[in-house]
Amino acid sequence: MNSSVNRRKQVNPVHVPSLVRWLLIALFAGSAGLVYVYIKNQQFALGEEIRQVERRIREVRAANEVLLARVTELSSRRTLQQRVADGFISVKPIQDIAIARLTPPVEAVRDGVIRTAFNERRRQ
Amino acid sequence: MRWTARTRTGIACAVVALIFTAFSLRLVHVQVAMHNEYAALAAQKHTMRQTIHARRGLIFDRNGELLASNLPVRTVVADGSHIKDAAAIAAIAAPYLEMDEKELASKINTDRKYVVVRRGVAEDKAQELAKSLQNAGLRGFYYEPDAVRFYPNGQMLGHVLGFLDHDGSGIQGVELTMNNSLRGTDGFRYIERDRTGKEIMLYRGQEEPARNGQNVHLTIDMGLQAIVEEELDTAFNDLKPENAIALMLDPKTGEVLAMASRPCFDPNEPGDAKPEQMKNRAVIDMVEPGSTFKIVVASGALNEGTVDTRSTIFCENGRFAYGGFILKDHSGYGSLSVHDILVHSSNIGSAKMALMMGGDKFYEYVRRFGFGERTGIELPGEIPGLVHPPHRWDKLTITRMPMGHALAVTPLQMTMGMSVIANGGHLMAPRIVRSVEDEDGNVTLDKTPKVIRDVIPAETARYVSDALTEVVSKRGTAQLAKVAGFTVAGKTGTAQKVSPAGGYAPGEYVVSFVGYMPAEDPRFVCLVMINNAAVAPALNYGGTVAAPIFSRIAEKAARYMNLVPSLRAEPIGATPLALGNVVEDRSN
């Protein structure tokens, strides 16, 4: 009788449901922690990516504006006039005979050519 | 007390509990009671307010030609707390920044967290510098986006456009008057940096985007501006005057089409200019206008009924004694109509008309034409001129003022005065800003033509205009202002220069011509004013110096504006200045 009682006292049964419960809690807590760290890392990585993209956009935009400024300079009136003066661009005045007017001007008597720039040649 | 196991355990637990309670209390104190203080400290250490720079608005002419733009650059700044080897950084950075290596090293060898090393570093150079420092494993330099103003046409229109100071605020020209529209509003964002200085995107805080400046469209037509500047440059080089001014505007709207002064400056390099070069003389200089002013007395006398179109005035055969002085005409004239007084530019006829009108009435017309008050054009520093009221006149003033002496006007006022005749008697408000648009193209300000007042009736203006048309003929004083194929109206002016020592400077003249074309339907009014040209005194007149310049400008402008000639083209004679060697040597 006694021996059977003592034997029963020495038995330490494993409470499987309780163990599973605690294991699940631990697993959940561990997973939550890992997911948190993973998401946090992902956020930092995405943030870094955004920063790089922003920087790249800024650089491209700045390069674009530099090029636009260069185009503006090259196509400015001052530069074009300088190029005409240097003979780089040849500009020929439109001959009066090539101008079609909706309202025909009064005809000149001398040589039949209407001129609007007579005294330019008098400047020399 | 018996130290049983239970007692000892209880004491140990209590001690541990006390220790943890103390830690907990400290944590609560730090986290709750001291929260604001530590949060501020942390923010000060890691958080910074980053400015997002607004882009300054652009300036265009009336046809959309770009006149002022922005060139992106970088401002290189240093954080002294991040710099470990100032000498090594200086050795690499000095060539990129075009600075002396030692000077740069001493500048960045500091504990300050924000040191501006150099402004206006070109974008590509800043990028190369950043790469070089990164490759060398050096840190402490940062590159803030910035922009410098860029005027692609250089000197052309420099006085009108103005320029900016180093903070990007306009300090002259349209850049100053339209600064509020052009500058925009900077934005900001709060950011945190890690210990290497990189922004931690996760902790990016409050953000307010920048509002870019608005674009300003001027009334200036760069085609006409180029014509005016080219002719003014030629005149300035050939005649070597102290200064020269040309102004062109649309009399019907008051829009300024071209405005130029010489000497001038390049707004891209304002530091290289002398103060004399930076003056926009069209609005900040005042001169005695001379005979161009005779249109005022003629208009007033006709309108008041003091004279009519059939009246004749005896011009004393060229010598009129009044107030103890003799007033002379260029030639001795007998009786002249108002028409002929203008055609021959008779001083005596003009003085007599003013005497017949009376000082108060004459003064009223001077003011009605806009003299003695600012026109309100959108340019800084405009002066009102100088017109004394009758109670401050001396005995001679009423005979001197009608011929454009004893008062001072700005070139813009004189041009607006002539616009009154060209525009059927209406005085328009001159303007140089046409509209303002935001960056999406929405018009936020649209300036429409504004009539200031009706100065004289259309019939009076037409009569004066007819006389001014004859001024530009063989009978008048401005034959050389003619333009083949077109009817030109205008008036010459030749005024002796006022001497700083008092009285008039002998042999020094301000000569001018102000006219419009085509006379029957004016498309533009143009003033040319040459101050003390280096020509022989016998030829230093508005009709010989300024009128030919007007003619050349008007001719080219007619072609540019595609005006249809209404007259038979007749050759124009050579100008006296083109024929002979009459330019004085001012090399000494």
Side-chain angles (χ1 to χ4, degrees), chain B residues 357-504:
Chain B
M357 276 177 82
D360 289 335
K361 270 288 167 209
F362 175 53
Y363 176 72
E364 185 188 320
Y365 275 90
V366 172
R367 298 306 300 260
R368 284 178 69 80
F369 267 83
F371 298 105
E373 64 182 3
R374 290 182 181 87
T375 64
I377 193 167
E378 304 92 342
L379 287 171
E382 189 193 9
I383 56 167
L386 192 63
V387 182
H388 292 304
H391 68 266
R392 291 184 61 192
W393 292 2
D394 62 23
K395 203 171 181 184
L396 291 175
T397 304
I398 195 162
T399 58
R400 299 297 188 259
M401 201 180 275
M403 53 190 238
H405 286 275
L407 86 165
V409 306
T410 64
L412 177 63
Q413 285 174 336
M414 198 59 243
T415 317
M416 291 312 299
M418 186 57 86
S419 297
V420 171
I421 307 297
N423 191 32
H426 311 296
L427 176 65
M428 306 300 293
R431 60 205 175 93
I432 204 156
V433 173
R434 200 173 206 205
S435 63
V436 178
E437 289 176 357
D438 64 18
E439 58 182 329
D440 299 323
N442 303 314
V443 177
T444 55
L445 175 69
D446 192 8
K447 293 204 164 187
T448 49
K450 185 178 155 196
V451 180
I452 294 178
R453 68 181 79 89
D454 293 334
V455 181
I456 49 172
E459 304 84 64
T460 309
R462 200 173 306 124
Y463 181 84
V464 176
S465 182
D466 286 345
L468 296 180
T469 305
E470 204 165 344
V471 169
V472 189
S473 74
K474 282 179 185 164
R475 286 190 70 216
T477 55
Q479 193 190 344
L480 297 173
K482 279 175 90 172
V483 177
F486 294 95
T487 317
V488 177
K491 187 75 192 77
T492 54
T494 306
Q496 261 192 292
K497 269 194 79 174
V498 177
S499 167
Y504 289 102

Side-chain angles (χ1 to χ4, degrees), chain A residues 63-104:
Chain A
N64 188 39
E65 282 183 31
V66 169
L67 289 174
L68 277 177
R70 184 85 184 117
V71 168
T72 304
E73 190 186 6
L74 287 173
S75 58
S76 70
R77 194 169 285 272
R78 177 180 61 161
T79 310
L80 293 177
Q81 280 182 341
Q82 189 59 48
R83 293 201 146 203
V84 171
D86 294 345
F88 191 84
I89 303 173
S90 177
V91 180
K92 281 193 171 182
I94 300 168
Q95 298 301 305
D96 289 320
I97 202 163
I99 300 174
R101 294 185 188 279
L102 293 176
T103 316

Side-chain angles (χ1 to χ4, degrees), chain B residues 270-350:
Chain B
D272 296 346
K274 294 174 188 160
E276 279 300 300
Q277 292 173 285
M278 294 166 115
K279 288 181 183 171
N280 185 356
R281 296 172 187 279
V283 292
I284 67 168
D285 249 11
M286 57 181 182
V287 292
E288 289 192 339
S291 297
T292 48
F293 200 73
K294 285 172 184 161
I295 57 170
V296 176
V297 70
S299 304
L302 284 165
N303 200 40
E304 287 300 310
T306 310
V307 290
D308 61 32
T309 53
R310 290 171 308 229
S311 306
T312 56
I313 293 166
F314 180 54
C315 292
E316 309 282 344
N317 295 316
R319 290 174 65 84
F320 176 42
Y322 186 84
F325 286 86
I326 303 288
L327 182 64
K328 292 177 189 169
D329 267 338
H330 194 64
S331 302
Y333 302 116
S335 293
L336 293 177
S337 63
V338 179
H339 180 100
D340 284 346
I341 285 171
L342 287 172
V343 172
H344 296 299
S345 196
S346 167
N347 296 330
I348 297 170
S350 303

